[in-house]
Amino acid sequence: MTAPRAVVAGGSGFLGPPLIADLTRRGYEVGVIGRRGPDARWDTPERIHALVDGADLVVNLAGRSVGCRYTDRNRHEIYDSRVDTTTALHEAVAGSARPPRLWLNASTATIYRHAMDRPQTEADGELGSGFSVDVARAWEKAFFAGDLPTTRRVSLRMAIVLGDGPALEMLARAARLGLGGPQLDGRWFPHRRYRGIGPDATPAAPPHRATHGRQKFSWIHVDDVVAAVAFLDEHAEVEGPVNLAAPGTSTNAELMAALRRAVNAPVGIPAPRWLLEPGMLVLRQESELVLKSRWAVPATLLAAGFTFGWNDLPEAIDDLVG
């Protein structure tokens, strides 16, 4: 009997290897699309079509890392790397004689507004504005475009994924250096890096908000991302946007306290924005990573019966950093 085929696009990031390993363990023959292949490259549309046609499952993780400064060049690379790759896969699926039954496409929980007043679910979440939100909007617009009657589509609105990735590494390094206090928003010099992008660009979000370290921190353990993909593969009733975020949303202050405990740092100096911004400039990162209040909850997954393996942030941090 021929093994079912799964196609993973953009599998070279830290999410790719554990996902590919799990797909292989579950009996899939896995083909990989990326800038260097190995099975198809983005500049070989005929190879992409050959992989997708007859595949059972497509998972798209492609997209340039957002772990950078939002210069004009980086902004366009972040935007294009998501929209163009999703469009290429859409063309391959639409043109297939035997289209995949399921297409999972990465997205981001950053699509929601800065929220400290109430959680954001798939049904009633309010979309935000500015660069990161516009990237997510265009990403999902390309994904859900047109009619693909035999292919179920699910966009994975991922919160910050805790694992062997750049976000957790950067924050753990700060905690080890004694800078593991909460990040505090405040006034800063105006800039245009967060302005909207694309044909439907929206205004940038307000330049600062008084959060006092209480901004929400939505997160998910990398193991639960892999488990959620397997769950969605088996639950044909779930489609559309799905929040991939642990049920127990924490705050920025709670995150940094957990990191201090994990790295045995007795002191954590708070980082007001006037101190945070120069540090982010040195690290070539954006303060939005830690200052935006992300309060996404996994209403769709919980209603469908998914059980998270990691619900407690300190336990997840200890598992990955301690």
Side-chain angles (χ1 to χ4, degrees), residues 290-301:
V290 291
L291 293 181
K292 181 173 180 177
S293 185
R294 297 171 172 86
W295 196 353
V297 295
T300 296
L301 279 177

Side-chain angles (χ1 to χ4, degrees), residues 196-272:
I197 191 171
D200 302 310
T202 60
H208 68 275
R209 312 168 182 91
T211 55
H212 307 291
R214 294 192 294 270
Q215 61 267 34
K216 298 294 184 179
F217 178 73
S218 287
W219 60 277
I220 184 169
H221 193 292
V222 61
D223 290 352
D224 280 335
V225 174
V226 174
V229 168
F231 180 87
L232 292 167
D233 190 10
E234 298 166 357
H235 286 257
E237 75 278 10
V238 181
E239 59 184 345
V242 172
N243 290 346
L244 264 60
T249 304
S250 301
T251 65
N252 173 264
E254 291 166 343
L255 163 68
M256 300 311 296
L259 283 166
R260 292 197 303 273
R261 288 191 295 269
V263 302
N264 297 313
V267 176
I269 300 173

Side-chain angles (χ1 to χ4, degrees), residues 104-169:
L104 304 174
N105 208 75
S107 182
T108 173
T110 301
I111 198 170
Y112 299 115
R113 65 172 174 84
H114 175 96
M116 296 184 66
D117 55 336
R118 68 173 183 85
Q120 306 291 296
T121 72
E122 300 90 342
D124 64 4
E126 300 169 85
L127 304 191
S129 63
F131 170 67
S132 296
V133 172
D134 286 352
V135 170
R137 287 175 184 263
W139 202 1
E140 292 195 359
K141 182 178 180 180
F143 176 52
F144 288 116
D147 186 26
L148 301 176
T150 61
T151 299
R152 177 167 58 102
R153 286 177 280 183
V154 179
S155 62
L156 308 175
R157 289 181 175 174
M158 284 183 271
I160 293 176
V161 180
L162 300 183
D164 187 20
L168 186 59
E169 179 183 343

Side-chain angles (χ1 to χ4, degrees), residues 32-115:
V32 179
I33 304 171
R35 286 173 295 176
R36 291 178 293 275
D39 301 298
R41 301 190 313 269
W42 292 113
D43 60 354
T44 58
E46 70 284 351
R47 288 293 305 143
I48 294 173
H49 184 276
L51 270 182
V52 169
D53 196 348
D56 200 57
L57 167 67
V58 173
V59 184
N60 181 24
L61 305 173
R64 186 204 192 282
S65 171
V66 295
C68 62
R69 297 292 280 183
Y70 293 165
T71 62
D72 284 352
R73 177 178 177 178
N74 289 343
R75 280 163 47 90
H76 286 289
E77 287 183 358
I78 289 168
Y79 182 94
D80 293 343
S81 66
R82 286 158 173 76
V83 175
D84 291 352
T85 53
T86 300
T87 300
L89 286 173
H90 196 290
E91 291 172 354
V93 172
S96 293
R98 294 173 297 159
R101 61 173 177 81
L102 173 61
W103 177 9
L104 304 174
N105 208 75
S107 182
T108 173
T110 301
I111 198 170
Y112 299 115
R113 65 172 174 84
H114 175 96

Side-chain angles (χ1 to χ4, degrees), residues 184-186 188 191 207-208 271-278 287 291:
L184 311 175
D185 205 346
W188 186 246
H191 62 78
H208 68 275
R273 192 160 185 186
W274 61 264
L275 180 62
L276 175 66
E277 290 289 355
S287 62
L291 293 181

Side-chain angles (χ1 to χ4, degrees), residues 172-187:
R173 187 187 311 130
R176 290 189 182 97
L177 294 173
L179 303 175
Q183 286 85 37
L184 311 175
D185 205 346
R187 294 188 178 277

